Amino acid sequence: MEYVKPAVLFKRSMVALGPYQEEEKPVENDMTGKSQLDLTELKKRSENFQNPFVKIKARNLSVYYGQTAALSNVSMEIRKQAVTALIGPSGCGKSTFLRTLNRMNDTIPGTRVTGKVFIDNINIYDPDINVVALRRMVGMVFQKSNPFPKSIVDNAAYGLRLHGIRDRDVLEEKVEESLRKAALWDEVKDRLHSSALELSGGQQQRLCIARALAVDPEILLMDEPASALDPISTAKIEELIHALKKDYTIVIVTHNMQQAARVSDYTAFFLLGEMVEYDHTQKIFEVPKDKRTEDYITGRFG
Amino acid sequence: MNGTLAIPIPNLRSRPIIWREVLLSVLARVMVIIPLCVLALILGQMVWGGIGTISWEFLSQVPQEGMTKGGIFPCIFGTLAITLLMILIALPLGVGAAIYLVEYAGQGWVFRVIRAAVNNLAGVPSIIFGLFGVGFFILFVGRNVDHVLQTGLLFGQPCMLWAAATLAVLVLPVIIVSTEEALNAVPQSHRSASLALGATKWQTIRDVVLPQARGGILTGAILSISRGAGETAPILFTGCAYFLPRLPVVNLFGVIPVINPFDQFMELSYHIFIMTTQSMDAVQTLPIQYGTTLVLIGLTFLLNLTAIVFRIHFRKRLGCVSIQ
Amino acid sequence: MQRHFDEELLELKGELLRMASLAEESIAKAVKALVERDGRLAQNVIDSDEEINMLEIEIDEICLKLLALRQPIAKDLRLITSAMKINSDLERIGDLSVNIAQRTLDLLEEPLLKPLLDISRMAKLAQKMVKDSLDAFVRQDAGLAREVCRRDDIVDMLNHQIFRELLTYMLQDPRNIHRSVDLILIGRHLERIADHATNIGEDVFYMVQGRTIKHHIEEKMAESKK
């Protein structure tokens, strides 16, 4: 079977839909210099063009669990090849937001999502979206490292096998590549066929990252990936995130403010299901604009 | 008085003997010892009475002279055959039902109704199953099949198939509950991880959930076999024979011997039952009764042991070496 | 929510204010010694600098401790980094007061060259700037902090004026040179004190508002945008 990158597959499957355009079509400048629209209108409309630096675009996103709104009316843009951290107290909607990006909320009964999320200008909440292809493009790493009780190799190859890749050479190559990317190869190359559960907690989490990377995602979602790890393992994961940033768009939820400050380029602060503030990480941690952000990050919250 | 409430500090060197505590702990020990004694008594009596009867001839020969002599081979064969058939029917049904309950049903009213039904099924007396087997499988299903296929009276009479089906219904709750437990023991995070990698629900169940639940499911299956092997009432009217000179075997294509599910059969527990209550000379056949009982207990014990070995084996394979 | 950290920050602020009052007192005494030609007071200024120096080290240690142990962010971070800078500014102000006192002792050996009108005006202004910048720190008053910075121009102007005036004295009679240079240096010291007060004002402004007004950066940015 020919190996096709998931992003390509995903986009191929979306060709029928055509690129997303909001209500109005942008007016082309007729080169005479006499634009039909004034500057602010043009600027407003130019936001409808795809910004080459933006990977994910959420528009008026709300999530309801039954009657309660877990996330209300969030709009934000997430930059390509950068690390965006989502911070906020428990139950603020940051994890919910993260899970809307690969539609993992679909698996929780009673969840309703309104609004749109665009990935490369495709609304992933369109009814025609192939969720399986989407999740292959948007990898996820969880809070508790959750390798399957299989061998290291089988863990790393799980996603590939799932997508029908049986060729031994391709599998071997991809497994090694993903383990290298996850900075785990040197530690496990001599015991690839031993159980993943024999690894240390930090190694297990890196294996989970390798497992997610093996299917060639473009976006990596991380839900408190280091919260259960010791400082050294945490540091390794953080270094890894830093190294992965050049190839992937990373969104990370974290309770650890220092971690958000260390690893991320952008930080969004969530509170009570709303996005309060979103800015460069340095701005958030040096000069937050919102009083609530300041209170939370300095520990005065509550 | 400075207003603070002083709690007197007890003398550390005055250890009291609290008789109530001592009494309760002794009582608890006695409570454990009583059932152990009963079990030992039963086993002891069986072994004492039956060990002399056990011989190669006893295990391999057919009953002779009105079952006062000879062996019990057809009973052993019948027991093994019917439990095999039973598990072939019950396992797919039970595992399927459990997968539906755990993975698909959610927590709505459908789920609650099915759960209640399964629990009630477990509480139904086994003789009711026997009568149900006659009424439903033989008279309703069998006769109607005969009617449709114009096969005379082939399906509409007691045979091993209906007995196995009846036993399968009996052990279904055991399999469903143990499978459910095994499925619930698989961490939710593993399902999430699989789904997040783009697996479908069924792929997740097949590749992640079932392999981890395999040990629990097998344990449940073996326990249900040991339960089914010991039951008499459900097979009483559905397929058991008082005495059958031949084995329920048919030669497929004339050469390959296979179990014939449309034949009647002899069975260990039923054999004990008729020998103690129906035989002409219960006293003379006493050693045979003991011997048969010992074989039945031994068989059940062996199956339980297999279940335990399986469980340990799968625990080890899953990486947790603790044996509970 | 009340944090233990807040108490530590309060302690830091307290120490810094103690330092500020010592520095202010030092300027005041040095200027008084100069105007009243009081040698003992001048000596006193020189001797008491040791206390300021010790306090600087202590405050530095508090700040480093808080940075290391509390890993402050946002407002807390701005407070502590500003405190470190204000601390070193105050220590410099103390040193400059000592320099003034030393010049004063030098001047006592000869009669007064001229009435010290401009110099005492300048001293008052510089003193007020130091005081106001610290008030701005205490009250988190960005407006006052910015206003202090603007006053620096007046002090600079006065310094220039004193310099020109003393230049004429020196040209008139070379025997005036020694005393004139001393006075010019005192003017220069006062001007430096005002500069440090300006620095404090800028740090306070950053601490409160989170943006910098140093080196007239905002005007420059606005200009470059045009």
Side-chain angles (χ1 to χ4, degrees):
Chain A
M1 184 174 175
E2 181 207 6
Y3 181 72
V4 187
K5 286 192 86 170
V8 178
L9 269 183
F10 181 70
K11 277 162 201 160
R12 263 189 217 161
S13 68
M14 292 307 125
V15 166
L17 295 172
Y20 171 80
Q21 272 167 353
E22 285 191 5
E23 293 71 30
E24 294 166 275
K25 290 201 170 182
V27 176
E28 298 249 333
N29 196 318
D30 56 8
M31 302 304 284
T32 57
K34 289 182 288 175
S35 172
Q36 297 290 314
L37 297 158
D38 64 2
L39 202 66
T40 51
E41 179 66 16
L42 259 183
K43 205 177 159 206
K44 203 182 105 197
R45 292 193 177 188
S46 74
E47 283 168 10
N48 295 343
F49 288 113
Q50 193 188 349
N51 182 336
F53 299 109
V54 170
K55 185 77 183 172
I56 306 168
K57 197 156 75 174
R59 283 280 173 270
N60 306 101
L61 191 68
S62 299
V63 179
Y64 303 88
Y65 293 132
Q67 291 299 309
T68 46
L71 199 66
S72 40
N73 211 23
V74 169
S75 295
M76 70 187 280
E77 276 155 23
I78 291 171
R79 281 180 74 117
K80 215 173 251 186
Q81 289 166 2
V83 180
T84 303
L86 312 177
I87 59 169
S90 299
C92 67
K94 58 189 189 303
S95 283
T96 305
F97 177 76
L98 191 78
R99 295 164 69 90
T100 57
L101 303 181
N102 65 346
R103 291 188 55 173
M104 277 300 274
N105 281 322
D106 294 12
T107 60
I108 303 167
T111 311
R112 194 159 53 84
V113 178
T114 64
K116 292 167 180 162
V117 176
F118 300 98
I119 292 181
D120 290 338
N121 251 19
I122 296 163
N123 179 11
I124 60 166
Y125 280 91
D126 241 321
D128 303 8
I129 289 293
N130 176 355
V131 179
V132 168
L134 168 73
R135 291 197 187 135
R136 197 174 154 190
M137 197 175 97
V138 187
M140 191 165 192
V141 177
F142 296 83
Q143 176 178 9
K144 244 186 93 206
S145 60
N146 51 2
F148 304 128
K150 300 169 187 275
S151 70
I152 293 168
V153 125
D154 284 345
N155 263 284
Y158 179 80
L160 296 164
R161 293 215 172 99
L162 214 54
H163 296 291
I165 292 149
R166 292 273 175 272
D167 188 323
R168 281 186 75 94
D169 293 340
V170 175
L171 282 176
E172 256 171 47
E173 191 185 315
K174 294 300 282 185
V175 163
E176 178 173 342
E177 185 192 322
S178 58
L179 286 173
R180 276 189 194 283
K181 273 185 185 167
L184 192 61
W185 176 253
D186 291 331
E187 291 164 51
V188 301
K189 65 180 175 208
D190 300 324
R191 45 170 176 157
L192 286 172
H193 292 281
S194 56
S195 170
L197 299 179
E198 286 166 20
L199 297 174
S200 73
Q203 289 173 325
Q204 287 191 8
Q205 190 61 301
R206 275 180 283 149
L207 178 61
C208 292
I209 293 174
R211 185 174 64 187
L213 293 179
V215 291
D216 284 326
E218 298 195 343
I219 298 167
L220 206 54
L221 309 178
M222 298 182 150
D223 195 349
E224 298 182 46
S227 65
L229 301 179
D230 64 274
I232 291 170
S233 303
T234 303
K236 279 186 184 162
I237 300 273
E238 285 174 5
E239 285 305 314
L240 181 57
I241 291 171
H242 200 77
L244 291 174
K245 165 164 102 172
K246 67 179 195 302
D247 297 322
Y248 303 89
T249 304
I250 298 174
V251 188
I252 174 172
V253 162
T254 175
H255 268 130
N256 181 339
M257 231 88 64
Q258 299 297 336
Q259 184 172 65
R262 284 192 297 265
V263 302
S264 71
D265 303 299
Y266 300 89
T267 298
F269 172 62
F270 284 74
L271 188 66
L272 301 170
E274 276 177 62
M275 195 188 71
V276 174
E277 194 169 344
Y278 178 36
D279 211 331
H280 291 268
T281 299
Q282 197 191 339
K283 284 265 174 59
I284 294 274
F285 286 95
E286 220 180 281
V287 198
K289 289 196 193 72
D290 198 289
K291 180 83 171 54
R292 291 169 291 176
T293 316
E294 172 127 37
D295 284 352
Y296 178 70
I297 61 173
T298 58
R300 284 190 187 83
F301 182 79
Chain B
M1 285 293 279
N2 53 10
T4 54
L5 208 78
I7 299 167
I9 298 163
N11 183 0
L12 287 176
R13 287 208 168 278
S14 62
R15 199 182 93 176
I17 299 168
I18 303 165
W19 287 108
R20 202 172 38 185
E21 303 281 323
V22 176
L23 196 74
L24 274 174
S25 78
V26 168
L27 211 66
R29 270 164 229 222
V30 171
M31 291 303 178
V32 178
I33 290 167
I34 288 174
L36 275 178
C37 286
V38 173
L39 186 69
L41 225 68
I42 295 174
L43 279 179
Q45 200 187 358
M46 292 305 135
V47 174
W48 185 257
I51 197 79
T53 324
I54 306 284
S55 64
W56 177 242
E57 284 73 29
F58 182 69
L59 294 176
S60 64
Q61 283 179 2
V62 292
Q64 284 154 9
E65 296 178 23
M67 283 183 284
T68 54
K69 287 219 176 71
I72 52 163
F73 179 65
C75 303
I76 298 174
F77 181 84
T79 303
L80 291 176
I82 192 175
T83 44
L84 180 68
L85 211 56
M86 171 198 82
I87 209 67
L88 285 180
I89 299 169
L91 199 61
L93 274 177
V95 171
I99 287 176
Y100 173 78
L101 283 175
V102 174
E103 306 288 341
Y104 292 98
Q107 295 289 323
W109 66 271
V110 180
F111 173 78
R112 285 201 294 275
V113 166
I114 297 175
R115 279 312 304 270
V118 169
N119 286 337
N120 282 325
L121 206 60
V124 174
S126 52
I127 186 69
I128 308 288
F129 280 105
L131 296 174
F132 167 80
V134 175
F136 181 74
F137 289 121
I138 299 174
L139 298 181
F140 179 72
V141 180
R143 293 279 154 87
N144 280 323
V145 169
D146 279 338
H147 184 73
V148 171
L149 299 178
Q150 295 295 317
T151 45
L153 203 64
L154 177 64
F155 294 101
Q157 58 179 346
C159 67
M160 194 190 276
L161 178 67
W162 301 137
T166 311
L167 273 183
V169 178
L170 176 87
V171 299
L172 211 48
V174 179
I175 294 183
I176 291 177
V177 170
S178 63
T179 306
E180 258 188 294
E181 266 163 25
L183 294 177
N184 280 325
V186 177
Q188 203 58 43
S189 66
H190 288 177
R191 293 186 180 85
S192 301
S194 174
L195 290 174
L197 282 166
T200 60
K201 187 140 196 166
W202 170 239
Q203 282 173 322
T204 301
I205 292 169
R206 189 192 62 197
D207 296 343
V208 174
V209 180
L210 282 182
Q212 290 188 56
R214 203 157 42 183
I217 293 172
L218 275 174
T219 309
I222 291 166
L223 286 180
S224 72
I225 286 177
S226 76
R227 164 108 200 262
E231 281 291 342
T232 320
I235 54 173
L236 203 56
F237 314 117
T238 48
C240 230
Y242 178 81
F243 176 72
L244 210 63
R246 60 175 196 280
L247 290 177
V249 169
V250 67
N251 282 343
L252 207 57
F253 311 118
V255 276
I256 313 157
V258 290
I259 297 161
N260 182 5
F262 301 110
D263 206 345
Q264 292 201 339
F265 60 97
M266 291 181 75
E267 207 258 2
L268 282 169
S269 60
Y270 183 64
H271 194 64
I272 299 165
F273 171 69
I274 50 165
M275 274 200 298
T276 48
T277 58
Q278 320 275 306
S279 87
M280 290 159 278
D281 192 348
V283 181
Q284 199 199 338
T285 56
L286 210 57
I288 298 184
Q289 290 170 32
Y290 273 123
T292 313
T293 315
L294 194 62
V295 168
L296 182 58
I297 288 179
L299 212 61
T300 319
F301 183 69
L302 213 65
L303 285 169
N304 282 333
L305 202 70
T306 323
I308 292 166
V309 169
F310 259 122
R311 194 157 46 196
I312 294 168
H313 175 70
F314 276 101
R315 282 252 172 78
K316 265 196 190 139
R317 271 199 43 188
L318 292 182
C320 10
V321 257
S322 73
I323 299 158
Q324 284 175 3
Chain C
M1 190 167 69
Q2 192 61 44
R3 305 176 308 169
H4 177 59
F5 187 23
D6 286 329
E7 280 168 33
E8 290 173 327
L9 289 177
L10 216 61
E11 186 203 328
L12 171 64
K13 277 186 189 171
E15 290 298 285
L16 204 61
L17 285 181
R18 194 152 74 85
M19 175 106 173
S21 69
L22 283 177
E24 269 177 56
E25 197 189 319
S26 190
I27 308 170
K29 282 197 288 194
V31 172
K32 195 168 176 232
L34 171 69
V35 175
E36 293 176 4
R37 300 176 68 78
D38 184 340
R40 270 176 57 198
L41 195 57
Q43 192 56 48
N44 178 270
V45 170
I46 295 166
D47 295 342
S48 61
D49 188 48
E50 189 62 13
E51 198 183 342
I52 295 182
N53 289 345
M54 289 298 119
L55 201 52
E56 189 210 5
I57 293 170
E58 192 192 318
I59 290 174
D60 254 355
E61 274 173 6
I62 296 176
C63 288
L64 286 173
K65 183 191 83 183
L66 292 180
L67 282 177
L69 301 184
R70 296 293 183 167
Q71 288 142 22
I73 40 181
K75 211 188 218 168
D76 306 331
L77 177 66
R78 302 202 306 267
L79 171 64
I80 292 170
T81 50
S82 300
M84 289 184 87
K85 290 187 194 170
I86 292 171
N87 184 32
S88 88
D89 279 326
L90 287 173
E91 193 273 334
R92 287 296 300 146
I93 288 173
D95 285 352
L96 289 165
S97 304
V98 169
N99 288 348
I100 293 173
Q102 282 166 343
R103 293 304 110 212
T104 305
L105 287 177
D106 206 20
L107 280 170
L108 283 178
E109 287 161 14
E110 287 176 78
L112 203 61
L113 181 67
K114 70 174 200 74
L116 298 167
L117 290 177
D118 280 341
I119 285 208
S120 56
R121 241 185 91 199
M122 210 176 145
K124 278 209 185 82
L125 267 172
Q127 231 177 305
K128 186 86 170 47
M129 277 174 74
V130 173
K131 189 178 177 303
D132 284 352
S133 64
L134 265 304
D135 276 353
F137 173 75
V138 172
R139 300 205 302 258
Q140 305 269 307
D141 187 341
L144 181 60
R146 173 170 255 181
E147 202 260 321
V148 169
C149 300
R150 292 212 181 95
R151 270 189 249 159
D152 189 40
D153 293 343
I154 307 172
V155 177
D156 283 352
M157 213 183 66
L158 275 174
N159 184 36
H160 201 62
Q161 194 174 316
I162 289 166
F163 177 73
R164 271 183 308 174
E165 194 188 344
L166 288 168
L167 207 58
T168 54
Y169 275 94
M170 287 193 279
L171 288 172
Q172 270 171 10
D173 187 347
R175 279 172 303 170
N176 291 340
I177 288 179
H178 184 236
R179 282 172 292 169
S180 296
V181 167
D182 273 344
L183 286 174
I184 285 174
L185 280 175
I186 288 171
R188 165 88 184 138
H189 294 328
L190 286 170
E191 189 265 338
R192 292 296 302 150
I193 288 175
D195 282 351
H196 285 296
T198 308
N199 282 353
I200 294 174
E202 286 164 350
D203 288 334
V204 170
F205 189 88
Y206 171 75
M207 184 181 89
V208 178
Q209 294 274 325
R211 62 203 160 89
T212 183
I213 50 167
K214 268 183 194 164
H215 315 304
H216 306 281
I217 189 87
E218 283 179 328
E219 287 101 19
K220 279 180 199 161
M221 293 281 272
E223 219 153 87
S224 70
K225 262 185 193 164
K226 279 174 198 168

